[in-house]
PDB file of all heavy atoms in Angstrom:
ATOM      1  N   ALA A 177      67.705 147.366 138.934  1.00 73.00           N
ATOM      2  CA  ALA A 177      67.079 148.615 139.563  1.00 73.00           C
ATOM      3  C   ALA A 177      67.796 149.162 140.889  1.00 73.00           C
ATOM      4  O   ALA A 177      67.300 149.339 141.806  1.00 73.00           O
ATOM      5  CB  ALA A 177      65.583 148.330 139.866  1.00 73.00           C
ATOM      6  N   PHE A 178      69.177 149.490 140.530  1.00 72.00           N
ATOM      7  CA  PHE A 178      70.008 149.992 141.668  1.00 72.00           C
ATOM      8  C   PHE A 178      70.075 151.562 141.586  1.00 72.00           C
ATOM      9  O   PHE A 178      70.658 152.286 142.354  1.00 72.00           O
ATOM     10  CB  PHE A 178      71.426 149.467 141.687  1.00 72.00           C
ATOM     11  CG  PHE A 178      71.268 148.007 142.305  1.00 72.00           C
ATOM     12  CD1 PHE A 178      71.710 146.994 141.505  1.00 72.00           C
ATOM     13  CD2 PHE A 178      70.879 147.686 143.576  1.00 72.00           C
ATOM     14  CE1 PHE A 178      71.797 145.669 141.965  1.00 72.00           C
ATOM     15  CE2 PHE A 178      70.720 146.415 143.923  1.00 72.00           C
ATOM     16  CZ  PHE A 178      71.279 145.355 143.169  1.00 72.00           C
ATOM     17  N   GLY A 179      69.375 152.239 140.453  1.00 64.00           N
ATOM     18  CA  GLY A 179      69.356 153.654 140.473  1.00 64.00           C
ATOM     19  C   GLY A 179      70.426 154.134 139.422  1.00 64.00           C
ATOM     20  O   GLY A 179      70.657 155.281 139.575  1.00 64.00           O
ATOM     21  N   GLY A 184      65.505 159.407 139.309  1.00 81.00           N
ATOM     22  CA  GLY A 184      63.938 159.122 139.233  1.00 81.00           C
ATOM     23  C   GLY A 184      63.618 158.490 140.601  1.00 81.00           C
ATOM     24  O   GLY A 184      64.307 157.959 141.375  1.00 81.00           O
ATOM     25  N   TYR A 185      62.265 158.228 140.598  1.00 90.00           N
ATOM     26  CA  TYR A 185      61.664 157.386 141.658  1.00 90.00           C
ATOM     27  C   TYR A 185      61.571 155.971 141.266  1.00 90.00           C
ATOM     28  O   TYR A 185      61.254 155.640 140.091  1.00 90.00           O
ATOM     29  CB  TYR A 185      60.248 157.920 141.966  1.00 90.00           C
ATOM     30  CG  TYR A 185      60.259 159.352 142.422  1.00 90.00           C
ATOM     31  CD1 TYR A 185      59.860 160.362 141.550  1.00 90.00           C
ATOM     32  CD2 TYR A 185      60.608 159.841 143.633  1.00 90.00           C
ATOM     33  CE1 TYR A 185      59.869 161.708 141.902  1.00 90.00           C
ATOM     34  CE2 TYR A 185      60.574 161.156 144.070  1.00 90.00           C
ATOM     35  CZ  TYR A 185      60.274 162.000 143.125  1.00 90.00           C
ATOM     36  OH  TYR A 185      60.222 163.376 143.468  1.00 90.00           O
ATOM     37  N   MET A 186      61.851 155.061 142.128  1.00 92.00           N
ATOM     38  CA  MET A 186      61.944 153.654 141.816  1.00 92.00           C
ATOM     39  C   MET A 186      61.317 152.737 142.881  1.00 92.00           C
ATOM     40  O   MET A 186      61.489 152.969 144.093  1.00 92.00           O
ATOM     41  CB  MET A 186      63.301 153.206 141.425  1.00 92.00           C
ATOM     42  CG  MET A 186      63.594 151.800 141.018  1.00 92.00           C
ATOM     43  SD  MET A 186      63.582 150.491 142.456  1.00 92.00           S
ATOM     44  CE  MET A 186      65.167 151.034 143.094  1.00 92.00           C
ATOM     45  N   VAL A 187      60.580 151.755 142.504  1.00 94.00           N
ATOM     46  CA  VAL A 187      60.073 150.744 143.325  1.00 94.00           C
ATOM     47  C   VAL A 187      60.307 149.364 142.775  1.00 94.00           C
ATOM     48  O   VAL A 187      60.034 149.049 141.478  1.00 94.00           O
ATOM     49  CB  VAL A 187      58.570 150.699 143.689  1.00 94.00           C
ATOM     50  CG1 VAL A 187      58.066 149.601 144.541  1.00 94.00           C
ATOM     51  CG2 VAL A 187      58.253 152.072 144.202  1.00 94.00           C
ATOM     52  N   ASP A 188      60.990 148.425 143.515  1.00 95.00           N
ATOM     53  CA  ASP A 188      61.498 147.150 143.057  1.00 95.00           C
ATOM     54  C   ASP A 188      61.177 145.997 143.925  1.00 95.00           C
ATOM     55  O   ASP A 188      61.395 146.103 145.172  1.00 95.00           O
ATOM     56  CB  ASP A 188      62.848 147.089 142.705  1.00 95.00           C
ATOM     57  CG  ASP A 188      63.498 145.876 142.145  1.00 95.00           C
ATOM     58  OD1 ASP A 188      63.353 145.746 140.895  1.00 95.00           O
ATOM     59  OD2 ASP A 188      63.803 144.938 142.803  1.00 95.00           O
ATOM     60  N   ARG A 210      62.386 147.397 147.414  1.00 93.00           N
ATOM     61  CA  ARG A 210      63.282 148.534 147.582  1.00 93.00           C
ATOM     62  C   ARG A 210      62.795 149.663 146.834  1.00 93.00           C
ATOM     63  O   ARG A 210      62.080 149.622 145.821  1.00 93.00           O
ATOM     64  CB  ARG A 210      64.614 148.023 146.801  1.00 93.00           C
ATOM     65  CG  ARG A 210      65.341 146.892 147.387  1.00 93.00           C
ATOM     66  CD  ARG A 210      66.717 146.707 146.821  1.00 93.00           C
ATOM     67  NE  ARG A 210      66.560 146.091 145.504  1.00 93.00           N
ATOM     68  CZ  ARG A 210      66.995 146.648 144.415  1.00 93.00           C
ATOM     69  NH1 ARG A 210      67.474 147.947 144.427  1.00 93.00           N
ATOM     70  NH2 ARG A 210      66.824 146.163 143.124  1.00 93.00           N
ATOM     71  N   THR A 211      63.151 150.919 147.407  1.00 93.00           N
ATOM     72  CA  THR A 211      62.766 152.179 146.790  1.00 93.00           C
ATOM     73  C   THR A 211      63.926 153.088 146.804  1.00 93.00           C
ATOM     74  O   THR A 211      64.866 152.931 147.637  1.00 93.00           O
ATOM     75  CB  THR A 211      61.667 152.809 147.528  1.00 93.00           C
ATOM     76  OG1 THR A 211      61.988 153.125 148.944  1.00 93.00           O
ATOM     77  CG2 THR A 211      60.375 151.966 147.634  1.00 93.00           C
ATOM     78  N   ILE A 212      63.992 154.046 145.765  1.00 89.00           N
ATOM     79  CA  ILE A 212      65.072 155.090 145.701  1.00 89.00           C
ATOM     80  C   ILE A 212      64.295 156.340 145.632  1.00 89.00           C
ATOM     81  O   ILE A 212      63.421 156.516 144.677  1.00 89.00           O
ATOM     82  CB  ILE A 212      65.997 154.753 144.636  1.00 89.00           C
ATOM     83  CG1 ILE A 212      66.925 153.568 144.864  1.00 89.00           C
ATOM     84  CG2 ILE A 212      66.954 156.092 144.504  1.00 89.00           C
ATOM     85  CD1 ILE A 212      67.829 153.225 143.796  1.00 89.00           C
ATOM     86  N   ASN A 434      59.983 145.797 138.464  1.00 95.00           N
ATOM     87  CA  ASN A 434      60.427 147.072 138.858  1.00 95.00           C
ATOM     88  C   ASN A 434      59.565 148.117 138.053  1.00 95.00           C
ATOM     89  O   ASN A 434      59.304 148.012 136.748  1.00 95.00           O
ATOM     90  CB  ASN A 434      61.861 147.260 138.406  1.00 95.00           C
ATOM     91  CG  ASN A 434      62.356 148.660 138.574  1.00 95.00           C
ATOM     92  OD1 ASN A 434      62.400 149.475 137.495  1.00 95.00           O
ATOM     93  ND2 ASN A 434      62.703 149.063 139.743  1.00 95.00           N
ATOM     94  N   LEU A 435      59.199 149.233 138.769  1.00 95.00           N
ATOM     95  CA  LEU A 435      58.499 150.415 138.190  1.00 95.00           C
ATOM     96  C   LEU A 435      59.436 151.629 138.389  1.00 95.00           C
ATOM     97  O   LEU A 435      59.848 151.838 139.548  1.00 95.00           O
ATOM     98  CB  LEU A 435      57.174 150.502 138.827  1.00 95.00           C
ATOM     99  CG  LEU A 435      56.223 149.321 138.706  1.00 95.00           C
ATOM    100  CD1 LEU A 435      54.866 149.762 139.460  1.00 95.00           C
ATOM    101  CD2 LEU A 435      55.863 149.002 137.293  1.00 95.00           C
ATOM    102  N   ARG A 436      59.558 152.324 137.441  1.00 93.00           N
ATOM    103  CA  ARG A 436      60.387 153.631 137.619  1.00 93.00           C
ATOM    104  C   ARG A 436      59.893 154.757 136.859  1.00 93.00           C
ATOM    105  O   ARG A 436      59.344 154.717 135.777  1.00 93.00           O
ATOM    106  CB  ARG A 436      61.849 153.291 137.050  1.00 93.00           C
ATOM    107  CG  ARG A 436      62.701 154.506 137.219  1.00 93.00           C
ATOM    108  CD  ARG A 436      64.069 154.017 136.674  1.00 93.00           C
ATOM    109  NE  ARG A 436      64.550 152.733 137.253  1.00 93.00           N
ATOM    110  CZ  ARG A 436      65.692 152.153 136.796  1.00 93.00           C
ATOM    111  NH1 ARG A 436      66.328 152.560 135.720  1.00 93.00           N
ATOM    112  NH2 ARG A 436      66.052 151.085 137.437  1.00 93.00           N
ATOM    113  N   TRP A 437      59.956 155.938 137.522  1.00 91.00           N
ATOM    114  CA  TRP A 437      59.484 157.332 136.887  1.00 91.00           C
ATOM    115  C   TRP A 437      60.786 158.072 136.820  1.00 91.00           C
ATOM    116  O   TRP A 437      61.254 158.394 137.942  1.00 91.00           O
ATOM    117  CB  TRP A 437      58.385 157.836 137.778  1.00 91.00           C
ATOM    118  CG  TRP A 437      57.999 159.231 137.304  1.00 91.00           C
ATOM    119  CD1 TRP A 437      58.439 160.349 137.501  1.00 91.00           C
ATOM    120  CD2 TRP A 437      56.996 159.525 136.280  1.00 91.00           C
ATOM    121  NE1 TRP A 437      57.900 161.509 136.868  1.00 91.00           N
ATOM    122  CE2 TRP A 437      57.006 160.900 136.000  1.00 91.00           C
ATOM    123  CE3 TRP A 437      56.299 158.708 135.398  1.00 91.00           C
ATOM    124  CZ2 TRP A 437      56.166 161.508 135.023  1.00 91.00           C
ATOM    125  CZ3 TRP A 437      55.397 159.210 134.497  1.00 91.00           C
ATOM    126  CH2 TRP A 437      55.371 160.718 134.254  1.00 91.00           C
TER     127      TRP A 437
END
Side-chain angles (χ1 to χ4, degrees):
F178 290 119
Y185 304 103
M186 183 278 293
V187 177
D188 184 87
R210 295 187 289 116
T211 64
I212 295 178
N434 173 264
L435 304 175
R436 182 179 305 168
W437 179 267

